[in-house]
Amino acid sequence: MEKKIRQLLEDAKRFEADSPEAVEAFRIAYLGKKGHLNALFADFKSVPADKKKETGQQINTLKQFVTGKVEEMKSALSASSGADAIPDMTVPGKSMPVGARHPISIVRNQIIGIFTRLGYNISEGPEIEDDWHVFSALNFPPEHPARDMQDTFFIEKDPDVLLRTHTSSVQVRVMENTQPPIRTISPGIVFRNEAISARAHCIFHQVEGLYIDENVSFADLKQTLMYFAKEMFGGETETRFRPSFFPFTEPSAEMDISCRICGGKGCNICKYTGWLEILGCGMVHPNVLEHSDIDSRKYTGFAFGMGIERITMLRYEVKDLRLYFENDARFLEQFSAAF
Ligand code: PHE
């Protein structure tokens, strides 16, 4: 009987199937009602008692091998038939969900588009900065109260290492490395130690611009920014300039646009003034040019800076800027039509 079992095991090992029918025939031959294994179990009764344990184990080994081999052959055949099969071209496609750009990215790209069409290039710089590039080079004297305008996050003191409070620092780096004509915009993230509310956040995004050449005047500044406002908010948009103060520009101004919600009649968005402030600007202070070795008798320039969150609020009537940071899909997917 031992010899028979060994022979059956050898045959099973050597067996190869090329079709599901062959596998089934193999299975029936070994495991079927009238198969080899049942016959062996029937003969098992006549095995002498002292040999029962050993023979029983041999029969079990054979059974396990055959059962495993049947499964293996089945799955090997179905895998290869799957690979060879021609896909069903009539199955309806699965639609992919359409994503949306973040509104801040949409508006940043629109701002970049407007200024690159005017011939500006894009400059970037570090978010972790030193005192020189954020304040001193921009004509903030030490201990000057103007530094309080921008509550700074300091990383280290003496020498100061800090998070930039505006991307004017990037423009200092451009002026240090390039002689005029300079026409550049610096989009980027900035940090200010402010309490978070519907109208303020400690992290936000800016686009600042700088134009330096011979004979650049305040009229160039006005024309550029009026063009920007009409491109961004529509051709009927009115602008006005109010005097302001920044240490790095003289004269300085803030630009308002006519309220888009009420058309200038007065509403709660524009606090019943008919106007909305969108940016700060001015003629670059001669000290700033000289700090970067640009001859202030030969060259003049203008600069401006705006918060992307604020422009986006006005553009899309977003009432609370915390929404930009929460990543709530119900808010974000409203922008899937814009790009
Ligand atoms: N840097 C200023 C700010 O962050 C904006 C500004 C830029 C104002 C250039 C005038 C000129 O508020």
Side-chain angles (χ1 to χ4, degrees):
M1 185 162 174
E2 256 175 50
K3 208 175 149 205
K4 192 170 179 198
I5 298 171
R6 227 180 298 126
Q7 184 58 47
L8 285 168
L9 187 62
E10 284 304 308
D11 291 350
K13 280 184 180 164
R14 244 180 282 126
F15 180 79
E16 277 175 31
D18 53 5
S19 69
E21 292 75 26
V23 177
E24 185 58 8
F26 174 79
R27 188 189 67 80
I28 291 170
Y30 276 83
L31 303 168
K33 230 179 181 175
K34 294 181 185 157
H36 301 307
L37 274 147
N38 274 349
L40 287 172
F41 283 126
D43 292 350
F44 186 63
K45 286 187 210 102
S46 54
V47 173
D50 61 336
K51 284 239 166 193
K52 267 202 157 67
K53 191 176 170 207
E54 203 186 325
T55 312
Q57 276 172 355
Q58 287 168 343
I59 298 175
N60 271 333
T61 309
L62 176 65
K63 188 177 176 184
Q64 274 165 16
F65 176 80
V66 171
T67 315
K69 177 148 180 164
V70 167
E71 287 312 311
E72 252 171 49
M73 289 190 299
K74 272 190 194 166
S75 59
L77 280 170
S78 70
S80 68
S81 73
D84 293 344
I86 298 165
D88 180 355
M89 303 302 247
T90 63
V91 173
K94 291 197 191 105
S95 63
M96 299 276 281
V98 178
R101 273 193 209 282
H102 194 282
I104 298 296
S105 303
I106 295 170
V107 171
R108 184 200 52 210
N109 292 348
Q110 287 170 347
I111 298 171
I112 289 174
I114 294 168
F115 284 103
T116 48
R117 289 199 290 281
L118 286 174
Y120 286 71
N121 64 18
I122 295 166
S123 46
E124 288 182 340
E127 290 163 14
I128 298 173
E129 267 290 9
D130 49 28
D131 175 275
W132 174 256
H133 291 94
V134 176
F135 294 124
S136 297
L138 288 160
N139 204 31
F140 286 81
E143 312 305 330
H144 192 282
R147 291 185 187 222
D148 293 343
M149 282 164 68
Q150 307 185 345
D151 299 303
T152 311
F153 285 115
F154 287 94
I155 296 172
E156 272 168 33
K157 278 275 188 190
D158 270 340
D160 287 339
V161 179
L162 47 96
L163 297 179
R164 68 184 180 194
T165 57
H166 51 185
T167 58
S168 304
S169 53
V170 179
Q171 310 191 331
V172 173
R173 291 180 181 275
V174 172
M175 286 187 285
E176 283 172 346
N177 297 319
T178 347
Q179 278 297 309
I182 293 173
R183 255 184 261 158
T184 191
I185 52 168
S186 321
I189 198 161
V190 299
F191 309 85
R192 293 185 194 178
N193 189 3
E194 287 189 36
I196 297 169
S197 73
R199 313 192 116 251
H201 210 291
C202 54
I203 300 173
F204 60 99
H205 300 79
Q206 282 193 324
V207 177
E208 297 221 356
L210 178 69
Y211 190 139
I212 303 174
D213 204 347
E214 290 176 38
N215 301 319
V216 176
S217 72
F218 201 87
D220 298 316
L221 175 155
K222 275 183 96 170
Q223 197 58 48
T224 303
L225 295 179
M226 281 160 62
Y227 170 78
F228 165 74
K230 285 183 191 292
E231 285 288 294
M232 191 75 210
F233 295 105
E236 69 294 346
T237 308
E238 307 269 353
T239 47
R240 76 173 183 187
F241 288 79
R242 285 175 291 102
S244 185
F245 171 79
F246 301 100
F248 36 90
T249 47
E250 182 59 36
S252 303
E254 279 170 322
M255 186 173 88
D256 298 341
I257 57 166
S258 50
C259 180
R260 311 177 64 230
I261 315 295
C262 62
K265 287 193 207 70
C267 67
N268 62 350
I269 301 289
C270 60
K271 302 205 191 92
Y272 300 95
T273 62
W275 295 97
L276 299 161
E277 185 215 315
I278 62 161
L279 54 81
C281 56
M283 301 305 292
V284 181
H285 197 293
N287 289 352
V288 174
L289 298 175
E290 295 296 337
H291 280 152
S292 298
D293 285 332
I294 294 174
D295 184 350
S296 64
R297 280 157 307 172
K298 185 169 177 202
Y299 294 109
T300 49
F302 65 79
F304 54 88
M306 64 188 95
I308 304 180
E309 277 77 359
R310 179 158 177 81
I311 306 278
T312 310
M313 277 179 126
L314 300 174
R315 178 85 210 247
Y316 292 111
E317 291 170 35
V318 178
K319 303 240 159 52
D320 187 330
L321 62 72
R322 286 170 290 198
L323 284 165
Y324 298 134
F325 297 92
E326 283 166 2
N327 280 340
D328 184 332
R330 289 167 302 177
F331 171 68
L332 297 174
E333 67 198 8
Q334 294 177 63
F335 297 91
S336 56
F339 48 88

